[in-house]
């Protein structure tokens, strides 16, 4: 029996969290999957799964084997994708982690446009604001809006990104000039709790130093869109991503403040695990997003 077949059966069972669910997902009988996993355990001389009528769990050896085996099979599948790359149609599932901020804004249309143009790709978009573990949670890639840190992952910048400190012109007229970051401590501020700094806003000083300013105000919300609405209502100053605030700034509904103190070293990145064979569907997805953003600017 082919070791890869046994290995794939084991992974199918683990990821489906049981033999019955794996049988329904793969179309193979429960008995056949159980046979393959038992043969794999016999070949390894180790128990990989604890089996009872009501519970299912991996042994310590099972956890160790799963992590490496999943990577091996992904490399094999990626190599097959690479060989088939010249085919016109891209196929298969693409699992992407994306910040809610991105999905809910107009730029989230880029994901829908990709799905529309590649109907053979099954695009699973998981929208959440935490940094997922791409390997452990089986993501093909993630979109991250950040100053990219050295993480051992491969990243490609697909667009520039910045934030704006902004408010209505009427708000500025009522509260006086806001010329330095420290001025924010004396005016109402709308806090987007998605920020790592919450009640302390960080700016870049003239010599590259970081300026941290304590702020407070009438609204705290974990949504850039709600932050935008509060700023347009004149409730305070807000820090808002460019792809959310841009139209309101262009229309004059909001004015920008402290532009010289806003860091400009941020970007929108596609991040994926370090693998020798990058799947064609991942490469095509990243290329598509980069081209989509270029067309907008």
């Amino acid at each position: 029996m082919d070791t890869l077949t046994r290995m794939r059966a084991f992974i199918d069972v683990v990821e489906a969290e049981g033999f019955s669910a794996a049988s329904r997902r793969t179309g193979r009988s429960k008995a056949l999957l159980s046979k393959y996993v038992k043969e794999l355990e016999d070949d390894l001389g180790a128990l990989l799964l604890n089996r009872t009528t009501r519970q299912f769990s991996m042994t310590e050896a099972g956890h160790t084997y799963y992590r490496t085996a999943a990577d091996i099979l992904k490399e094999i599948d990626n190599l097959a994708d690479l060989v088939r790359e010249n085919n016109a149609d891209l196929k298969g599932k693409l699992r992407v982690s994306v910040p809610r901020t991105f999905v809910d804004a107009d730029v989230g249309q880029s994901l829908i446009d990709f799905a529309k143009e590649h109907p053979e790709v099954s695009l699973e978009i998981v929208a959440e604001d935490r940094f997922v573990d791409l390997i452990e949670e089986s993501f093909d890639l993630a979109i991250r809006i950040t100053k990219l840190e050295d993480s051992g992952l491969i990243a490609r910048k697909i667009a520039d990104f910045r934030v704006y400190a902004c408010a209505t012109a009427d708000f500025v007229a009522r509260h006086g000039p806001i010329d330095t970051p420290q001025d924010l401590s004396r005016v109402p501020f709308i806090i987007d709790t998605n920020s790592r700094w919450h009640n302390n806003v960080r700016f870049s000083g003239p010599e590259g130093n970081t300026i941290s300013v304590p702020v407070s105000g009438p609204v705290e919300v974990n949504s850039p869109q709600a932050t935008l609405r509060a700023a347009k209502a004149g409730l305070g100053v807000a820090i808002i991503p460019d792809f959310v605030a841009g139209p309101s700034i262009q229309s004059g509904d909001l004015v920008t403040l402290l532009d010289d103190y806003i860091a400009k070293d941020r970007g929108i990145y596609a991040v994926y695990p370090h693998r020798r064979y990058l799947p064609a569907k991942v490469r095509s997805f990243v290329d598509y997003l980069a081209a989509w953003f270029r067309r907008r600017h």
Side-chain angles (χ1 to χ4, degrees):
M1 175 57 60
D2 183 0
T3 299
L4 289 178
T5 301
R6 296 169 179 162
M7 185 186 297
R8 198 177 293 276
F10 169 71
I11 290 173
D12 286 339
V13 170
V14 169
E15 293 185 346
E17 300 183 351
F19 286 91
S20 297
S23 175
R24 292 190 295 271
R25 181 179 295 181
T26 65
R28 289 178 169 175
S29 71
K30 181 179 175 182
L32 183 60
L33 291 171
S34 180
K35 174 177 177 291
Y36 287 162
V37 173
K38 180 64 168 61
E39 289 174 346
L40 180 61
E41 291 176 324
D42 290 344
D43 186 50
L44 295 171
L47 184 68
L48 301 178
L49 299 176
N50 292 312
R51 306 170 181 80
T52 68
T53 55
R54 295 186 179 181
Q55 293 183 329
F56 167 88
S57 64
M58 279 191 288
T59 63
E60 183 176 349
H63 279 286
T64 301
Y65 189 83
Y66 171 75
R67 286 193 295 269
T68 303
D71 280 345
I72 290 171
L73 283 183
K74 190 160 285 189
E75 286 288 338
I76 291 171
D77 291 341
N78 291 349
L79 178 57
D81 278 345
L82 190 66
V83 172
R84 292 191 294 263
E85 190 171 0
N86 290 330
N87 289 349
D89 294 332
L90 298 173
K91 297 182 180 180
K93 183 176 181 179
L94 187 62
R95 191 164 190 253
V96 185
S97 171
V98 187
R100 286 191 178 92
T101 300
F102 187 98
V103 171
D104 292 340
D106 290 345
V107 291
Q109 184 64 37
S110 61
L111 307 176
I112 306 306
D113 290 347
F114 174 84
K116 184 177 180 180
E117 292 193 22
H118 299 86
E120 296 300 315
V121 175
S122 175
L123 183 61
E124 180 183 354
I125 302 167
V126 180
E128 51 189 346
D129 293 318
R130 66 184 179 90
F131 271 25
V132 301
D133 186 314
L134 298 182
I135 297 174
E136 289 290 331
E137 300 179 55
S138 299
F139 284 98
D140 292 294
L141 76 157
I143 302 300
R144 291 183 178 167
I145 305 171
T146 183
K147 175 183 178 182
L148 195 67
E149 306 291 345
D150 183 9
S151 64
L153 300 172
I154 304 300
R156 176 178 167 188
K157 188 176 183 179
I158 58 176
D160 292 324
F161 168 77
R162 64 167 295 172
V163 296
Y164 289 106
C166 48
T168 63
D170 179 67
F171 177 90
V172 176
R174 284 187 285 114
H175 290 273
I178 299 172
D179 298 322
T180 69
Q182 289 80 2
D183 290 332
L184 294 178
S185 293
R186 63 172 177 78
V187 301
F189 192 91
I190 302 157
I191 297 170
D192 183 349
T193 55
N194 281 315
S195 167
R196 288 184 293 173
W197 315 119
H198 289 219
N199 295 78
N200 284 277
V201 183
R202 294 195 171 189
F203 294 88
S204 293
E207 298 179 1
N209 56 307
T210 298
I211 302 172
S212 182
V213 181
V215 294
S216 61
V219 176
E220 296 187 15
V221 62
N222 64 339
S223 164
Q225 296 286 355
T227 302
L228 173 70
R229 288 193 288 271
K232 290 173 69 173
L235 294 177
V237 178
I239 302 291
I240 309 176
D242 56 359
F243 54 73
V244 174
S248 296
I249 293 170
Q250 292 171 10
S251 68
D253 290 338
L254 294 175
V255 296
T256 63
L257 310 166
L258 307 172
D259 289 346
D260 292 340
Y261 294 92
I262 302 292
K264 298 177 176 63
D265 57 353
R266 304 299 191 263
I268 301 175
Y269 291 88
V271 181
Y272 37 90
H274 180 46
R275 296 195 183 102
R276 288 180 60 199
Y277 306 112
L278 185 65
K281 59 190 176 184
V282 173
R283 184 182 294 106
S284 295
F285 178 75
V286 174
D287 287 345
Y288 183 91
L289 291 189
W292 192 92
F293 276 95
R294 282 198 302 272
R295 290 194 297 270
R296 288 174 57 91
H297 295 288

